[in-house]
Amino acid sequence: MASWGSCDFSEFRAMADRFRSAVDTKASERFTREVLQELGNMLLRRTKRKTPVDTGQLRRGWFITKVRQRGDVFEIEIYNNTAYAPWVENGHRVVQSGNTVGWSEGFFMMRLSLMEIERLAPEVIGKRSRQFVRRLLEGGAAHD
């Protein structure tokens, strides 16, 4: 039987080992946490920028948690601990002497920012995914 030549698959095997290692060492979990934290920080910055300022208390009241994992779900929470934040966000009725005299429109600082982040998320995730895979292909650790 004639020999057509030989192929060295060692590089391919090494790449496959790096991919397997990324899964085995929870690099993909770390990647998910980092991307979610990045998107959460983007949301927090945008929400703060959109928050109206009178005394500054409402703007200073925005906070973000660390990424938490519950089963297969990763979550991050952005919240405002200022008591009147929901009324500024969603709007509220104006009451004088016990009578409703109008409506104050909401600023929707969180809602609008969330819509912006939802539009940007595929780009951010795509960029971070390409970096993650590139590091695996080049032989570096996926978490560098």
Side-chain angles (χ1 to χ4, degrees):
M1 184 183 254
S3 174
W4 288 87
S6 64
C7 282
D8 180 6
F9 290 104
S10 61
E11 287 296 317
F12 182 74
R13 282 190 201 101
M15 181 182 66
D17 289 342
R18 288 192 298 270
F19 275 103
R20 197 173 9 267
S21 174
V23 174
D24 293 343
T25 63
K26 299 201 178 205
S28 59
E29 180 181 310
R30 189 171 29 257
F31 165 80
T32 302
R33 288 177 177 279
E34 289 171 0
V35 171
L36 186 55
Q37 191 71 53
E38 180 179 350
L39 291 169
N41 288 333
M42 289 172 65
L43 177 58
L44 180 64
R45 281 191 306 273
R46 287 169 184 264
T47 302
K48 280 185 172 188
R49 274 196 304 256
K50 287 177 177 52
T51 301
V53 176
D54 185 10
T55 65
Q57 181 178 350
L58 184 61
R59 188 174 280 180
R60 285 190 305 273
W62 288 109
F63 296 95
I64 187 170
T65 65
K66 293 187 180 208
V67 175
R68 294 183 297 251
Q69 183 177 2
R70 296 178 191 218
D72 291 341
V73 176
F74 291 85
E75 63 185 19
I76 192 166
E77 184 178 358
I78 296 173
Y79 62 96
N80 193 305
N81 64 4
T82 308
Y84 56 89
W87 292 281
V88 177
E89 171 73 16
N90 300 310
H92 58 90
R93 59 191 182 113
V94 178
V95 178
Q96 292 177 349
S97 303
N99 297 316
T100 300
V101 296
W103 177 260
S104 179
E105 286 296 324
F107 284 85
F108 307 112
M109 54 266 183
M110 172 70 90
R111 186 176 310 163
L112 293 172
S113 297
L114 186 56
M115 289 169 52
E116 291 173 9
I117 296 305
E118 286 174 344
R119 281 193 302 271
L120 291 172
E123 180 182 330
V124 171
I125 295 167
K127 178 182 175 188
R128 291 293 221 114
S129 296
R130 286 187 296 277
Q131 291 169 346
F132 179 80
V133 171
R134 189 177 313 117
R135 284 193 302 265
L136 287 173
L137 292 173
E138 291 171 352
H143 52 81
D144 288 345

